Amino acid sequence: MDTDTQRELAQTFQNRHTETTADPLVLPNSWDAASTIIYEAAGLEAVGTSSAGIAAALGVPDGEHLARDEMLAVVSRIAHSVGIPVSADIEAGYGDTPDDVAGTVRKTIDAGAVGINLEDGTDNSESPLMDTHRHSEKIRAARKTADEADLPLVINGRTDVFWRDVGNEADRIEHAIERANEYYDAGSDCLFIPGVTDAETIAALVDGLDGPLNVLGGPEVPPIPELNKLGVARVSVGSGPMRATLGYLREISTALNDEGTYHQMENAIPYSDLNALLTTSRNHHTE
C-alpha cells in the first residue's frame, strides 16, 4: 500500500467519525484476510481487527500473549487484502511506557492500518485498570507518532470500567465518562466503552461524553437502528463473529463424530464463490 492510498483511507475513516448526521459506523471485526474480504464483499465501510480473534486463530489466548510482530503480520495481511479502512486492535499497546506504544503505533502504521484501539485494562485483578494519567500519556504518544507520520490515524480510546465490572455498579457510568473524557482530551477520536448493554446506560454515556461513543454490539445489545436513535457513533462486534464461527465449527465437529453426517455444512460458501472473492482481492489489493 502506498502512502497516498493509506492517507486517503485514513482521512475517509476519520471523516466518518465526525459526520454527526450519519448513521453509526458499523465496524465488524476480523481475524484473518478471508473474514475481512467477506466483510468488504458484504458492503461494509471499514473493518477492525479482533485481538482475541487473531490470537485464537494462531492458537494463543487473548491478552498480548501473542508477540507484537506476529499480530502485526496478520494486521498487514488484512490491511492489504481489502480496499476499505482497517483499524487494528493493539490491546494496551504492547508495552508499559509511552515510548513502547509509540513503537507499536509506528509498526501498526507500517502494516497499513489507519486506526487503533488502545485499552486501559490490565491483568492485575487487584488493579484492573491502568492509571488514567498513564493511559492518557500512551494516547498522546500514539497521536504524536501518527502526526509525525502525517497520517490522520483514528484512535479509539477504550476504558474497561464496565467490561471488568470495576467498582460499585452505581458509580460506573460516572467513572467511565471521567476516564473516557480524559482519553478524548489526550487525543482519542472515538471513545470505546465495551460491556454496556442497556439503552438507559448507553444514553447516559452519550450525554456525558465529550467525543463519539463506540459500543460493542452483541445479542444483549439494542439493534443498530436503536443505537442510532440513542446517539451512538460506532458499533463494533469484537470477537463475536470469530467465536460464532468456531461455535458453528464445533457443531460440524459434533455431527461428524457423533452422527457421521455432513448436514451442518449446507450453508457453506460455495467453493467457486470463495475462490472468486479471494482472486479478486489478490488482483486488486495485494501488493
Side-chain angles (χ1 to χ4, degrees):
M1 182 187 303
D2 63 71
T3 302
D4 288 342
T5 298
Q6 187 177 13
R7 190 172 292 115
E8 289 174 7
L9 288 170
Q11 192 61 64
T12 296
F13 195 45
Q14 181 78 254
N15 292 346
R16 192 59 176 80
H17 288 78
T18 58
E19 296 173 353
T20 57
T21 60
D23 292 340
L25 170 63
V26 180
L27 193 76
N29 298 86
S30 65
W31 57 97
D32 61 10
S35 56
T36 312
I37 290 165
I38 288 172
Y39 286 142
E40 182 184 42
L44 289 149
E45 299 177 64
V47 68
T49 67
S50 164
S51 64
I54 291 174
L58 296 177
V60 178
D62 193 23
E64 294 190 11
H65 294 289
L66 189 68
R68 181 179 68 177
D69 287 349
E70 289 181 288
M71 182 272 293
L72 288 176
V74 179
V75 170
S76 179
R77 175 71 70 172
I78 286 171
H80 290 84
S81 70
V82 292
I84 55 178
V86 171
S87 181
D89 182 356
I90 61 170
E91 303 192 61
Y94 282 84
D96 294 329
T97 70
D99 285 345
D100 291 334
V101 173
T104 297
V105 171
R106 278 192 292 270
K107 286 179 173 288
T108 304
I109 291 172
D110 289 343
V114 298
I116 60 167
N117 261 13
L118 196 56
E119 64 192 51
D120 64 3
T122 74
D123 291 329
N124 186 343
S125 59
E126 295 182 1
S127 183
L129 298 180
M130 194 178 301
D131 175 77
T132 309
H133 174 74
R134 181 181 167 198
H135 192 63
S136 295
E137 288 302 306
K138 286 187 171 186
I139 292 170
R140 289 189 178 92
R143 174 57 63 208
K144 181 181 178 182
T145 303
D147 289 346
E148 289 172 349
D150 193 24
L151 186 79
L153 184 79
V154 175
I155 300 175
N156 201 29
R158 167 176 162 170
T159 182
D160 282 357
V161 172
F162 283 89
W163 187 251
R164 298 172 185 264
D165 297 327
V166 177
N168 295 324
E169 185 175 359
D171 299 328
R172 282 181 196 149
I173 293 176
E174 182 179 353
H175 187 189
I177 288 173
E178 180 180 352
R179 277 183 168 267
N181 281 342
E182 286 200 39
Y183 301 159
Y184 187 69
D185 290 341
S188 295
D189 302 281
C190 194
L191 304 170
F192 188 20
I193 306 180
V196 293
T197 58
D198 65 282
E200 184 178 355
T201 299
I202 292 169
L205 291 172
V206 170
D207 185 59
L209 292 176
D210 295 334
L213 173 63
N214 181 177
V215 166
L216 181 66
E220 298 179 352
V221 177
I224 291 168
E226 185 175 343
L227 293 177
N228 184 27
K229 294 177 181 178
L230 293 171
V232 171
R234 172 167 144 174
V235 183
S236 50
V237 289
S239 64
M242 178 274 298
R243 290 183 291 104
T245 300
L246 292 183
Y248 192 55
L249 180 60
R250 183 163 58 184
E251 293 180 11
I252 293 173
S253 303
T254 300
L256 287 170
N257 186 62
D258 296 351
E259 306 167 14
T261 60
Y262 321 103
H263 62 276
Q264 294 288 353
M265 293 187 282
E266 290 174 353
N267 292 326
I269 296 175
Y271 176 86
S272 58
D273 291 357
L274 179 59
N275 233 25
L277 277 176
L278 300 179
T279 299
T280 299
S281 169
R282 183 176 183 180
N283 290 341
H284 291 171
H285 304 305
T286 305
E287 294 183 358

